[in-house]
Amino acid sequence: MAELLLAGPQYRHSGTIRLRVVPGGFATTKTPSLRVDGADLVVGDQRLALPGNTPAGLAAAADIEAGVPDIYDDHSGVREDEALVVDVAIAAYLGAWFNEGEQALRRAVPSQMPVLWPEHFDVSVTENEVNYGVSPGDNWHNEPYAYVGPWTARTGEFWNAPFGAARSIEELPNADAIVAFFEEGRSHL
């Protein structure tokens, strides 16, 4: 949904793919004003259920054009005519993780605005050629994790991931723990 119903339409209208974390989900940063709240697409006062609908059907109901932004190639693979399946409990779990992560990013790097990137579906900031962020999980690690990713590879015990360092949600259950991890990463740079 981040790509097909928010980032794609926003890119075509406003020229940016940047999304933001909001309570209960995520939203565009520019027009059109769209957000996902739990298992619903919210357009103005209208709430459209994601489960069972297709991106094309939701786009028609929201009066937007569904489709991925055409500025990168690594898309989710969800088709516009594909019926959506949303686990409400998992959506809430990831929404809470993103909210904790965004709070941590704002505290750890207050000069930067956290961005939810649709192509990786992670929330991050960059400071001094180091990416700090939280991910819902991916091909590298199938559970939510926080990461410190310096642009120049580092070595040592702290750096446990191909892109830098990562710690799972089990190790970092809240914003305070995530901030401490970011600060630890900064001390190892």
Side-chain angles (χ1 to χ4, degrees), residues 161-175:
F163 48 81
R167 301 292 183 272
S168 72
I169 191 173
E170 287 80 22
E171 297 172 86
L172 306 173
N174 57 44

PDB file of all heavy atoms in Angstrom, residues 161-175:
ATOM      1  N   ALA A 161      25.995  -6.898  10.792  1.00  0.00           N
ATOM      2  CA  ALA A 161      25.122  -7.012   9.615  1.00  0.00           C
ATOM      3  C   ALA A 161      25.892  -6.570   8.379  1.00  0.00           C
ATOM      4  O   ALA A 161      26.855  -5.804   8.482  1.00  0.00           O
ATOM      5  CB  ALA A 161      23.884  -6.139   9.805  1.00  0.00           C
ATOM      6  N   PRO A 162      25.482  -7.040   7.198  1.00  0.00           N
ATOM      7  CA  PRO A 162      26.202  -6.661   5.979  1.00  0.00           C
ATOM      8  C   PRO A 162      26.186  -5.163   5.704  1.00  0.00           C
ATOM      9  O   PRO A 162      27.051  -4.645   5.007  1.00  0.00           O
ATOM     10  CB  PRO A 162      25.490  -7.433   4.871  1.00  0.00           C
ATOM     11  CG  PRO A 162      24.253  -7.987   5.457  1.00  0.00           C
ATOM     12  CD  PRO A 162      24.377  -7.952   6.939  1.00  0.00           C
ATOM     13  N   PHE A 163      25.233  -4.451   6.285  1.00  0.00           N
ATOM     14  CA  PHE A 163      25.085  -3.012   6.070  1.00  0.00           C
ATOM     15  C   PHE A 163      25.537  -2.201   7.278  1.00  0.00           C
ATOM     16  O   PHE A 163      25.410  -0.983   7.285  1.00  0.00           O
ATOM     17  CB  PHE A 163      23.632  -2.664   5.737  1.00  0.00           C
ATOM     18  CG  PHE A 163      22.661  -3.303   6.698  1.00  0.00           C
ATOM     19  CD1 PHE A 163      22.413  -2.737   7.935  1.00  0.00           C
ATOM     20  CD2 PHE A 163      22.027  -4.485   6.356  1.00  0.00           C
ATOM     21  CE1 PHE A 163      21.543  -3.345   8.827  1.00  0.00           C
ATOM     22  CE2 PHE A 163      21.140  -5.088   7.242  1.00  0.00           C
ATOM     23  CZ  PHE A 163      20.897  -4.517   8.483  1.00  0.00           C
ATOM     24  N   GLY A 164      26.010  -2.849   8.327  1.00  0.00           N
ATOM     25  CA  GLY A 164      26.429  -2.153   9.536  1.00  0.00           C
ATOM     26  C   GLY A 164      26.120  -2.962  10.776  1.00  0.00           C
ATOM     27  O   GLY A 164      26.679  -4.025  10.995  1.00  0.00           O
ATOM     28  N   ALA A 165      25.194  -2.463  11.592  1.00  0.00           N
ATOM     29  CA  ALA A 165      24.807  -3.144  12.823  1.00  0.00           C
ATOM     30  C   ALA A 165      23.288  -3.159  12.935  1.00  0.00           C
ATOM     31  O   ALA A 165      22.616  -2.221  12.508  1.00  0.00           O
ATOM     32  CB  ALA A 165      25.405  -2.435  14.031  1.00  0.00           C
ATOM     33  N   ALA A 166      22.777  -4.214  13.540  1.00  0.00           N
ATOM     34  CA  ALA A 166      21.329  -4.342  13.723  1.00  0.00           C
ATOM     35  C   ALA A 166      21.039  -5.035  15.045  1.00  0.00           C
ATOM     36  O   ALA A 166      21.828  -5.865  15.511  1.00  0.00           O
ATOM     37  CB  ALA A 166      20.718  -5.138  12.571  1.00  0.00           C
ATOM     38  N   ARG A 167      19.901  -4.672  15.628  1.00  0.00           N
ATOM     39  CA  ARG A 167      19.405  -5.324  16.838  1.00  0.00           C
ATOM     40  C   ARG A 167      17.904  -5.547  16.644  1.00  0.00           C
ATOM     41  O   ARG A 167      17.195  -4.684  16.140  1.00  0.00           O
ATOM     42  CB  ARG A 167      19.634  -4.471  18.085  1.00  0.00           C
ATOM     43  CG  ARG A 167      21.086  -4.125  18.375  1.00  0.00           C
ATOM     44  CD  ARG A 167      21.916  -5.335  18.775  1.00  0.00           C
ATOM     45  NE  ARG A 167      23.281  -4.948  19.103  1.00  0.00           N
ATOM     46  CZ  ARG A 167      24.286  -4.848  18.230  1.00  0.00           C
ATOM     47  NH1 ARG A 167      24.077  -5.066  16.944  1.00  0.00           N
ATOM     48  NH2 ARG A 167      25.490  -4.514  18.629  1.00  0.00           N
ATOM     49  N   SER A 168      17.416  -6.698  17.107  1.00  0.00           N
ATOM     50  CA  SER A 168      16.009  -7.061  16.904  1.00  0.00           C
ATOM     51  C   SER A 168      15.097  -6.345  17.890  1.00  0.00           C
ATOM     52  O   SER A 168      15.535  -5.811  18.908  1.00  0.00           O
ATOM     53  CB  SER A 168      15.835  -8.571  17.052  1.00  0.00           C
ATOM     54  OG  SER A 168      15.980  -8.931  18.422  1.00  0.00           O
ATOM     55  N   ILE A 169      13.823  -6.391  17.579  1.00  0.00           N
ATOM     56  CA  ILE A 169      12.799  -5.792  18.435  1.00  0.00           C
ATOM     57  C   ILE A 169      12.824  -6.411  19.831  1.00  0.00           C
ATOM     58  O   ILE A 169      12.531  -5.724  20.808  1.00  0.00           O
ATOM     59  CB  ILE A 169      11.396  -5.920  17.776  1.00  0.00           C
ATOM     60  CG1 ILE A 169      10.362  -5.067  18.523  1.00  0.00           C
ATOM     61  CG2 ILE A 169      10.974  -7.371  17.675  1.00  0.00           C
ATOM     62  CD1 ILE A 169       9.004  -5.008  17.839  1.00  0.00           C
ATOM     63  N   GLU A 170      13.198  -7.680  19.939  1.00  0.00           N
ATOM     64  CA  GLU A 170      13.273  -8.310  21.257  1.00  0.00           C
ATOM     65  C   GLU A 170      14.334  -7.639  22.127  1.00  0.00           C
ATOM     66  O   GLU A 170      14.178  -7.540  23.341  1.00  0.00           O
ATOM     67  CB  GLU A 170      13.577  -9.811  21.138  1.00  0.00           C
ATOM     68  CG  GLU A 170      12.416 -10.640  20.644  1.00  0.00           C
ATOM     69  CD  GLU A 170      12.241 -10.584  19.121  1.00  0.00           C
ATOM     70  OE1 GLU A 170      13.217 -10.266  18.411  1.00  0.00           O
ATOM     71  OE2 GLU A 170      11.119 -10.833  18.662  1.00  0.00           O
ATOM     72  N   GLU A 171      15.420  -7.178  21.499  1.00  0.00           N
ATOM     73  CA  GLU A 171      16.488  -6.501  22.226  1.00  0.00           C
ATOM     74  C   GLU A 171      16.175  -5.021  22.453  1.00  0.00           C
ATOM     75  O   GLU A 171      16.755  -4.403  23.351  1.00  0.00           O
ATOM     76  CB  GLU A 171      17.801  -6.608  21.458  1.00  0.00           C
ATOM     77  CG  GLU A 171      18.304  -8.028  21.274  1.00  0.00           C
ATOM     78  CD  GLU A 171      19.495  -8.059  20.337  1.00  0.00           C
ATOM     79  OE1 GLU A 171      20.631  -7.866  20.820  1.00  0.00           O
ATOM     80  OE2 GLU A 171      19.279  -8.273  19.123  1.00  0.00           O
ATOM     81  N   LEU A 172      15.310  -4.459  21.624  1.00  0.00           N
ATOM     82  CA  LEU A 172      15.020  -3.021  21.645  1.00  0.00           C
ATOM     83  C   LEU A 172      13.508  -2.799  21.691  1.00  0.00           C
ATOM     84  O   LEU A 172      12.902  -2.385  20.712  1.00  0.00           O
ATOM     85  CB  LEU A 172      15.607  -2.354  20.397  1.00  0.00           C
ATOM     86  CG  LEU A 172      17.091  -2.580  20.121  1.00  0.00           C
ATOM     87  CD1 LEU A 172      17.478  -2.007  18.772  1.00  0.00           C
ATOM     88  CD2 LEU A 172      17.939  -1.996  21.232  1.00  0.00           C
ATOM     89  N   PRO A 173      12.870  -3.059  22.828  1.00  0.00           N
ATOM     90  CA  PRO A 173      11.402  -3.043  22.875  1.00  0.00           C
ATOM     91  C   PRO A 173      10.750  -1.666  22.896  1.00  0.00           C
ATOM     92  O   PRO A 173       9.535  -1.579  22.776  1.00  0.00           O
ATOM     93  CB  PRO A 173      11.100  -3.796  24.176  1.00  0.00           C
ATOM     94  CG  PRO A 173      12.292  -3.508  25.041  1.00  0.00           C
ATOM     95  CD  PRO A 173      13.465  -3.460  24.095  1.00  0.00           C
ATOM     96  N   ASN A 174      11.543  -0.588  23.058  1.00  0.00           N
ATOM     97  CA  ASN A 174      10.929   0.737  23.142  1.00  0.00           C
ATOM     98  C   ASN A 174      11.892   1.809  22.647  1.00  0.00           C
ATOM     99  O   ASN A 174      13.053   1.525  22.344  1.00  0.00           O
ATOM    100  CB  ASN A 174      10.465   1.020  24.578  1.00  0.00           C
ATOM    101  CG  ASN A 174      11.608   0.906  25.570  1.00  0.00           C
ATOM    102  OD1 ASN A 174      12.713   1.384  25.339  1.00  0.00           O
ATOM    103  ND2 ASN A 174      11.331   0.258  26.698  1.00  0.00           N
ATOM    104  N   ALA A 175      11.400   3.040  22.583  1.00  0.00           N
ATOM    105  CA  ALA A 175      12.192   4.151  22.051  1.00  0.00           C
ATOM    106  C   ALA A 175      13.476   4.369  22.846  1.00  0.00           C
ATOM    107  O   ALA A 175      14.531   4.644  22.259  1.00  0.00           O
ATOM    108  CB  ALA A 175      11.355   5.427  22.015  1.00  0.00           C
TER     109      ALA A 175
END
